[in-house]
Amino acid sequence: MADPAARTSFDPGPPPAGRFDVCLTDDQVAAFHRDGFTWIERITTDEELQWLEPIYDFLFASKRGSWKGSYFDLARPYDSDGEDFVPQVLTPETRFPQLLGTNVARNARVIAAQLLGMPADDLKVWGHMILKPAQVGGELPWHQDEAYWEEHLAYRAVGCWMPLDPATPDSGCMHFLPGSHRGEVRAHRHIGDDPSVHGLVTDDVNPAGEVPVPLAPGGASFHHCRTLHRTTPNISGRVRRAWANEFQVEPVPLPVEDIPDRPWAREFREAWAERPAIRS
Ligand code: NI
């Protein structure tokens, strides 16, 4: 097979026709509201996973992402050369819209709607793919996803995370801190205290009681946008690919007096604005 990095175009066609439907039990919904996360064993078919793999590999092998600047390393400065530790592709669905027609996308939306108590059609979504190379993939330390977002808005949001490879503590599975979604967004900083590193970390965490959630390929976890979570380094001998989809109710502007001060968010916006000029 041709080197995927050498390809300039790739047409995977539509997703396989086989349909698979899943939603959460009442106990799983209750666990989410109590703990801030839950998971399911399967969200799609083996056939669909096999269809996804070359799409995923094409995006990463080409380092092209889905639009200029949407491929970058989460744990290193945007303009770094050399091997990536934790590369990410943002919004792969803009490059391959057929991703929105998958069992993964449909089931994740139905489940996010269950968790948010909203009609599925009222949710907006964007995807991202995060890869941890075998024996190289770095950790993504403790953070809350909302810390990445605009601080003047109020969010109701759920993230769905699905591995394409076995996700274990050795390969970089998710770890969650139960109940942490009930608090505020904690103080974050950029990894390495470098605003040109996209990844954020909070030091305001006591990890006692953290729960690792190993998943087989095609399993999926769901977490609230304030749930503290991290992924471990990939010290295994195989790649760990994951596709995440973020579902939100349209966020609402906060009253001016309620807007929190988040210095890392200001730094983040400045570095982000510079980013497309330094890496394409
Ligand atoms: Ni996260």
Side-chain angles (χ1 to χ4, degrees), residues 128 140 143-145 148 174 223 229 246:
H128 53 126
L140 281 182
H143 67 277
Q144 295 161 299
D145 291 342
Y148 282 88
M174 285 281 232
H223 63 277
H229 58 286
E246 308 291 337

Side-chain angles (χ1 to χ4, degrees), residues 5-59:
R7 291 192 243 172
T8 55
S9 67
F10 171 53
D11 180 6
R19 180 155 177 141
F20 176 82
D21 289 302
V22 63
C23 62
L24 297 184
T25 64
D26 291 346
D27 283 351
Q28 287 169 318
V29 173
F32 175 87
H33 291 304
R34 181 187 66 231
D35 298 333
F37 65 94
T38 189
W39 69 89
I40 55 176
E41 299 291 334
R42 292 292 300 198
I43 195 169
T44 186
T45 61
D46 287 344
E47 193 185 11
E48 189 170 273
L49 287 174
Q50 287 163 13
W51 174 84
L52 279 169
E53 286 188 28
I55 296 176
Y56 199 104
D57 294 343
F58 171 78
L59 289 167

Side-chain angles (χ1 to χ4, degrees), residues 253-276:
L254 285 167
V256 174
E257 63 273 21
D258 291 345
I259 297 174
D261 182 35
R262 295 184 186 157
W264 69 89
R266 290 197 301 272
E267 297 169 354
F268 184 87
R269 279 192 291 274
E270 288 163 16
W272 181 260
E274 294 293 316
R275 180 182 57 93

